[in-house]
Amino acid sequence: MGVPLDVTGRLVVAPPVAAALAAGAPVVALESTLISHGLPYPQNLEVATASEAAVRSAGAVPATVALHDGRILVGLDAAALEALATAPAGSVRKAARPSLAVALAAGGWAATTVSATMIAAHAAGIRVFATGGIGGVHRGAIGGSRSGSRPAASEPTFDISSDLEELARTPMAVVCAGPKAILDVPSTLEYLETRGVPVVAIGQDELPGFFARSAGIRAPSSVRDVAAAAELVVTHLTLTLGSGILLCVPVPAEDALREAIAREAVERAVREAQSEGIGGPALTPWLLARIASLTQGASIRANASLIVHDARVAGELAVLLASA
Ligand code: PSU
Ligand code: MN
């Protein structure tokens, strides 16, 4: 067809992001599925705007990633953020590695998950990315579950997020508040270990638990602060192993859900999703919305707070890496 087969033809890097990258200045990629599918309006727009502001206040340039009319946008302006946040339910696709081509071919707006955002950010030359919680091994994906339970009679769903494979194959630092608590967290950690992804908690020994400060298990490794994390990131990326590195910071204490409250809501939502036959890419948004209603909005406060906090920490990390 004579079409150049290269992602750069699809990539549109916003001028402030391109300028920062050309100057070696710090840049932080942000994803957009949490805007379109993870949080309701208006909290989604507030979080998207506050995350960009948090990256800027740390001294870095934010680059929110989304797809529009066949192009991969790295860096959105205020109008684009608003378009994503206010689009009618169901009108924005959720683009992950397996659905990236379909979403580009379909045109219109699509939001990028962790996997698709990593692809875009890496192609643009960005080394730091902040999200809320990564996707992982869903409860029941491998039959029984090591986090909570699923009826014993159920067949394995094999629902394992493409986020994990992306972390295994794309070299960048991803800052999150831990794997989402809706997942089988121990199995998610095992998967990441098998695929060679370091998982590092910052500031505590316990793995952050997304809605709660702790997942109730020890993190595979931990560092004292962001400066120590930056050193580890440099060492990891210098090895050119090809994999990313996952940095986990706990949700700010004032907005965290109590562990027991979070666990109860998560387990009930997972049971209901199973009995209602919810699965595939719709599962994560469905669970997050159901938990929001079960906790009367407290989970949204925690989710919003941890996303903005992750963006700030990622900004600090990017600044340290730019001067390393
Ligand atoms: N973090 C949040 N809310 C979200 C997500 C992350 O606080 O909605 C999104 C990310 O885009 C992540 C996706 O990649 O959820 C995981 O979806 P799945 O389980 O279908 O792979
Ligand atoms: Mn899935």
Side-chain angles (χ1 to χ4, degrees), residues 90 150 157 170 246 257:
R150 205 178 155 93
T157 62
T170 302
L246 188 66
L257 285 192

Short mmCIF file of all heavy atoms in Angstrom, two decimals, residues 90 150 157 170 246 257:
data_model
loop_
_atom_site.label_atom_id
_atom_site.label_comp_id
_atom_site.label_asym_id
_atom_site.label_seq_id
_atom_site.Cartn_x
_atom_site.Cartn_y
_atom_site.Cartn_z
N GLY A 90 -20.28 5.29 26.91
CA GLY A 90 -20.22 4.33 25.83
C GLY A 90 -19.69 4.89 24.52
O GLY A 90 -19.40 4.14 23.60
N ARG A 150 -14.21 -16.67 44.90
CA ARG A 150 -15.12 -16.74 43.78
C ARG A 150 -15.73 -18.11 43.91
O ARG A 150 -15.08 -19.03 44.37
CB ARG A 150 -14.26 -16.67 42.51
CG ARG A 150 -14.98 -16.15 41.29
CD ARG A 150 -13.97 -16.09 40.16
NE ARG A 150 -14.65 -16.19 38.90
CZ ARG A 150 -15.04 -15.15 38.20
NH1 ARG A 150 -14.80 -13.94 38.64
NH2 ARG A 150 -15.66 -15.33 37.07
N THR A 157 -11.46 -17.61 34.12
CA THR A 157 -11.82 -16.68 33.04
C THR A 157 -10.61 -16.29 32.19
O THR A 157 -10.77 -15.73 31.12
CB THR A 157 -12.39 -15.37 33.61
OG1 THR A 157 -11.36 -14.75 34.40
CG2 THR A 157 -13.61 -15.62 34.48
N THR A 170 7.99 -3.01 28.06
CA THR A 170 8.21 -1.60 27.74
C THR A 170 8.98 -0.92 28.87
O THR A 170 8.49 -0.85 30.00
CB THR A 170 6.86 -0.90 27.48
OG1 THR A 170 6.21 -1.60 26.42
CG2 THR A 170 7.04 0.54 27.08
N LEU A 246 7.77 -0.95 38.32
CA LEU A 246 6.52 -0.47 38.92
C LEU A 246 6.80 0.10 40.30
O LEU A 246 7.31 -0.60 41.18
CB LEU A 246 5.52 -1.63 39.03
CG LEU A 246 4.11 -1.23 39.45
CD1 LEU A 246 3.44 -0.36 38.39
CD2 LEU A 246 3.26 -2.47 39.73
N LEU A 257 -9.46 4.51 52.21
CA LEU A 257 -10.56 3.72 52.77
C LEU A 257 -9.97 2.80 53.83
O LEU A 257 -8.87 2.30 53.68
CB LEU A 257 -11.21 2.83 51.70
CG LEU A 257 -12.12 3.45 50.66
CD1 LEU A 257 -12.85 2.35 49.90
CD2 LEU A 257 -13.12 4.38 51.32
#
